[in-house]
Amino acid sequence: MTRFRAGIVGAGVAGASCAGKLAAAGWDVDVYDKARGAGGRLSTRRMEQGWASLASPFLSARRDPFRSQLRDWVRQGWVAPVRGNIWQGRATVSWAQAQLQNHYRPTIEPSQLVHHLLGDARLHTLSPVAALQPRTIVLENGRTLGDYDCIICSVPAPQALPMLDALPLLRERLGEVRYRPIWSFLMRWEGGPAADVIKFDDHLLNLAVRQAFNGSGLWAVYSSHEFAETYLEAPIEEASTRAASALMGLLGLPCPVDVEAAHLWRYALPQTSVGGYWLGDRENRVALIGDSIAGAGIERAWESGQRLAQALLQAEEELAI
Ligand SMILES: Cc1cc2nc3c(=O)[nH]c(=O)nc-3n(C[C@H](O)[C@H](O)[C@H](O)COP(=O)(O)OP(=O)(O)OC[C@H]3O[C@@H](n4cnc5c(N)ncnc54)[C@H](O)[C@@H]3O)c2cc1C
């Protein structure tokens, strides 16, 4: 029996969900990521007291396939429905009152969720990819990895475009996609509202989420897109100082805020996307997935990986030629 080989670029939710599904069906799957570990925009920051997340704070499901995936993760003890209070400028309301159903938070490191998705696929970290060619992945160090039955690219459009010189059809479609940035910070402060989530009605800051480990008083604070566009090229210290002083003003805090970490997500959320779940160049056997194609959010990214895997499994006969 033919054992098909897939080479996947990007170990975020989309790449991992596709990789794991193909590997579970018996494919030989390599996943290459430039980072130290899997996760992408679900990656984790290790702290002395435990882990914290500067990346996506919530997972939410609007439709069934991802809902049942989340229910399965609840059973495994990997995610839990969000409970607690949200402070919304004037009042504190409960999560249910805010009508935010089907929102979950990881109870294990978010990057571990992505590892679970990867299943039996082989993950190659610290492996930045420079170019994609039919059946071949070229790493930045010049290594050529070839003979794949199918190549899948699962990175944000602006990072995918430089890889696609040999694939003009895909390049052209991806060129339409625009992303907006977010700065996120891990901050600690005294006082402030007794809540688990703070939703700012402000042009500088968007959201603050109390970190999971109890009693640490550590929060992840997310800027608005406008803030991140203003401080896109600013040094980390400047962006941190601006965000901390905005936060002090918004919450009326008497003492300075400690900023323990900061990260600029240059490609945080797609403003536009190609549409559909995946985009393929059938002749060259290369496909694109992820939120550049399917739209913003973990659910869409996960679904895009699943849908492409399903399509590939259905097309096995064609691939065998
Ligand atoms: C701050 C923030 C908050 C968010 N909040 C939410 C939320 O509350 N709910 C929600 O549903 N969604 C949220 N999102 C969006 C969600 O995280 C993304 O839509 C989703 O994770 C995208 O997954 P992906 O697999 O498409 O891409 P990514 O997770 O970005 O994965 C792409 C991977 O490709 C790798 N890569 C890039 N270039 C190369 C290269 N040249 N070679 C090798 N590897 C490469 C990267 O290292 C990365 O691991 C948020 C995003 C951010 C940044």
mmCIF file of all heavy atoms in Angstrom, residues 194-211:
data_model
loop_
_atom_site.group_PDB
_atom_site.id
_atom_site.type_symbol
_atom_site.label_atom_id
_atom_site.label_comp_id
_atom_site.label_asym_id
_atom_site.label_seq_id
_atom_site.Cartn_x
_atom_site.Cartn_y
_atom_site.Cartn_z
ATOM 1 N N ALA A 194 -12.308 43.985 40.685
ATOM 2 C CA ALA A 194 -12.263 42.573 41.081
ATOM 3 C C ALA A 194 -12.927 41.773 39.965
ATOM 4 O O ALA A 194 -14.137 41.536 39.997
ATOM 5 C CB ALA A 194 -12.991 42.380 42.398
ATOM 6 N N ALA A 195 -12.164 41.423 38.956
ATOM 7 C CA ALA A 195 -12.730 40.711 37.802
ATOM 8 C C ALA A 195 -11.675 39.767 37.251
ATOM 9 O O ALA A 195 -10.510 39.805 37.646
ATOM 10 C CB ALA A 195 -13.149 41.720 36.740
ATOM 11 N N ASP A 196 -12.101 38.915 36.335
ATOM 12 C CA ASP A 196 -11.168 37.980 35.693
ATOM 13 C C ASP A 196 -10.792 38.456 34.302
ATOM 14 O O ASP A 196 -9.749 38.093 33.764
ATOM 15 C CB ASP A 196 -11.818 36.599 35.597
ATOM 16 C CG ASP A 196 -12.304 36.167 36.959
ATOM 17 O OD1 ASP A 196 -11.457 35.809 37.787
ATOM 18 O OD2 ASP A 196 -13.533 36.265 37.210
ATOM 19 N N VAL A 197 -11.683 39.254 33.714
ATOM 20 C CA VAL A 197 -11.446 39.805 32.372
ATOM 21 C C VAL A 197 -11.859 41.274 32.402
ATOM 22 O O VAL A 197 -12.874 41.620 33.028
ATOM 23 C CB VAL A 197 -12.297 39.045 31.314
ATOM 24 C CG1 VAL A 197 -12.209 39.705 29.954
ATOM 25 C CG2 VAL A 197 -11.859 37.591 31.211
ATOM 26 N N ILE A 198 -11.062 42.123 31.774
ATOM 27 C CA ILE A 198 -11.435 43.539 31.670
ATOM 28 C C ILE A 198 -11.575 43.867 30.190
ATOM 29 O O ILE A 198 -10.648 43.620 29.409
ATOM 30 C CB ILE A 198 -10.351 44.440 32.304
ATOM 31 C CG1 ILE A 198 -10.194 44.089 33.794
ATOM 32 C CG2 ILE A 198 -10.709 45.915 32.135
ATOM 33 C CD1 ILE A 198 -9.031 44.799 34.466
ATOM 34 N N LYS A 199 -12.749 44.369 29.832
ATOM 35 C CA LYS A 199 -12.969 44.761 28.425
ATOM 36 C C LYS A 199 -12.950 46.287 28.395
ATOM 37 O O LYS A 199 -13.817 46.938 28.979
ATOM 38 C CB LYS A 199 -14.340 44.210 27.980
ATOM 39 C CG LYS A 199 -14.708 44.536 26.569
ATOM 40 C CD LYS A 199 -14.098 43.533 25.596
ATOM 41 C CE LYS A 199 -14.235 43.979 24.152
ATOM 42 N NZ LYS A 199 -13.208 44.888 23.663
ATOM 43 N N PHE A 200 -11.912 46.850 27.754
ATOM 44 C CA PHE A 200 -11.787 48.305 27.733
ATOM 45 C C PHE A 200 -12.602 48.881 26.581
ATOM 46 O O PHE A 200 -12.616 48.306 25.484
ATOM 47 C CB PHE A 200 -10.323 48.718 27.533
ATOM 48 C CG PHE A 200 -9.419 48.221 28.620
ATOM 49 C CD1 PHE A 200 -8.555 47.157 28.391
ATOM 50 C CD2 PHE A 200 -9.416 48.807 29.875
ATOM 51 C CE1 PHE A 200 -7.712 46.693 29.380
ATOM 52 C CE2 PHE A 200 -8.579 48.347 30.876
ATOM 53 C CZ PHE A 200 -7.723 47.290 30.631
ATOM 54 N N ASP A 201 -13.225 50.016 26.848
ATOM 55 C CA ASP A 201 -13.884 50.732 25.765
ATOM 56 C C ASP A 201 -12.954 51.892 25.429
ATOM 57 O O ASP A 201 -13.150 53.009 25.888
ATOM 58 C CB ASP A 201 -15.255 51.212 26.281
ATOM 59 C CG ASP A 201 -15.998 51.974 25.207
ATOM 60 O OD1 ASP A 201 -15.591 51.876 24.036
ATOM 61 O OD2 ASP A 201 -16.969 52.679 25.542
ATOM 62 N N ASP A 202 -11.894 51.591 24.670
ATOM 63 C CA ASP A 202 -10.805 52.551 24.545
ATOM 64 C C ASP A 202 -10.078 52.336 23.221
ATOM 65 O O ASP A 202 -10.068 51.229 22.691
ATOM 66 C CB ASP A 202 -9.831 52.313 25.712
ATOM 67 C CG ASP A 202 -8.679 53.281 25.692
ATOM 68 O OD1 ASP A 202 -8.949 54.497 25.727
ATOM 69 O OD2 ASP A 202 -7.513 52.845 25.606
ATOM 70 N N HIS A 203 -9.442 53.406 22.708
ATOM 71 C CA HIS A 203 -8.765 53.247 21.419
ATOM 72 C C HIS A 203 -7.332 52.722 21.571
ATOM 73 O O HIS A 203 -6.689 52.395 20.572
ATOM 74 C CB HIS A 203 -8.780 54.563 20.639
ATOM 75 C CG HIS A 203 -7.971 55.639 21.289
ATOM 76 N ND1 HIS A 203 -8.357 56.232 22.478
ATOM 77 C CD2 HIS A 203 -6.795 56.199 20.943
ATOM 78 C CE1 HIS A 203 -7.439 57.125 22.825
ATOM 79 N NE2 HIS A 203 -6.491 57.123 21.903
ATOM 80 N N LEU A 204 -6.804 52.627 22.821
ATOM 81 C CA LEU A 204 -5.438 52.145 23.005
ATOM 82 C C LEU A 204 -5.391 50.686 23.465
ATOM 83 O O LEU A 204 -4.608 49.892 22.958
ATOM 84 C CB LEU A 204 -4.695 53.014 24.028
ATOM 85 C CG LEU A 204 -4.517 54.482 23.647
ATOM 86 C CD1 LEU A 204 -3.858 55.247 24.784
ATOM 87 C CD2 LEU A 204 -3.678 54.600 22.376
ATOM 88 N N LEU A 205 -6.223 50.365 24.452
ATOM 89 C CA LEU A 205 -6.212 49.007 24.994
ATOM 90 C C LEU A 205 -7.552 48.338 24.734
ATOM 91 O O LEU A 205 -8.601 48.987 24.732
ATOM 92 C CB LEU A 205 -5.936 49.030 26.503
ATOM 93 C CG LEU A 205 -4.580 49.608 26.915
ATOM 94 C CD1 LEU A 205 -4.400 49.507 28.421
ATOM 95 C CD2 LEU A 205 -3.432 48.923 26.189
ATOM 96 N N ASN A 206 -7.490 47.020 24.550
ATOM 97 C CA ASN A 206 -8.699 46.291 24.187
ATOM 98 C C ASN A 206 -9.182 45.375 25.313
ATOM 99 O O ASN A 206 -10.355 45.415 25.684
ATOM 100 C CB ASN A 206 -8.398 45.483 22.914
ATOM 101 C CG ASN A 206 -9.560 44.650 22.466
ATOM 102 O OD1 ASN A 206 -10.706 45.037 22.670
ATOM 103 N ND2 ASN A 206 -9.281 43.498 21.890
ATOM 104 N N LEU A 207 -8.246 44.588 25.866
ATOM 105 C CA LEU A 207 -8.676 43.512 26.764
ATOM 106 C C LEU A 207 -7.576 43.209 27.761
ATOM 107 O O LEU A 207 -6.386 43.350 27.446
ATOM 108 C CB LEU A 207 -8.890 42.268 25.888
ATOM 109 C CG LEU A 207 -9.609 41.074 26.465
ATOM 110 C CD1 LEU A 207 -11.097 41.395 26.610
ATOM 111 C CD2 LEU A 207 -9.437 39.858 25.546
ATOM 112 N N ALA A 208 -7.962 42.781 28.980
ATOM 113 C CA ALA A 208 -6.989 42.230 29.928
ATOM 114 C C ALA A 208 -7.570 40.946 30.489
ATOM 115 O O ALA A 208 -8.771 40.876 30.777
ATOM 116 C CB ALA A 208 -6.714 43.229 31.048
ATOM 117 N N VAL A 209 -6.740 39.933 30.599
ATOM 118 C CA VAL A 209 -7.203 38.621 31.058
ATOM 119 C C VAL A 209 -6.302 38.157 32.190
ATOM 120 O O VAL A 209 -5.077 38.048 32.016
ATOM 121 C CB VAL A 209 -7.173 37.590 29.898
ATOM 122 C CG1 VAL A 209 -7.643 36.229 30.366
ATOM 123 C CG2 VAL A 209 -8.015 38.075 28.723
ATOM 124 N N ARG A 210 -6.911 37.884 33.355
ATOM 125 C CA ARG A 210 -6.135 37.406 34.503
ATOM 126 C C ARG A 210 -5.528 36.041 34.170
ATOM 127 O O ARG A 210 -6.208 35.198 33.593
ATOM 128 C CB ARG A 210 -7.062 37.293 35.720
ATOM 129 C CG ARG A 210 -6.335 37.099 37.026
ATOM 130 C CD ARG A 210 -7.335 36.791 38.122
ATOM 131 N NE ARG A 210 -8.063 37.961 38.585
ATOM 132 C CZ ARG A 210 -7.578 38.831 39.485
ATOM 133 N NH1 ARG A 210 -6.390 38.640 40.004
ATOM 134 N NH2 ARG A 210 -8.304 39.865 39.872
ATOM 135 N N GLN A 211 -4.266 35.844 34.511
ATOM 136 C CA GLN A 211 -3.603 34.587 34.162
ATOM 137 C C GLN A 211 -4.015 33.467 35.112
ATOM 138 O O GLN A 211 -4.379 33.707 36.264
ATOM 139 C CB GLN A 211 -2.088 34.769 34.116
ATOM 140 C CG GLN A 211 -1.671 35.674 32.976
ATOM 141 C CD GLN A 211 -2.163 35.168 31.616
ATOM 142 O OE1 GLN A 211 -1.587 34.255 31.046
ATOM 143 N NE2 GLN A 211 -3.243 35.743 31.090
#
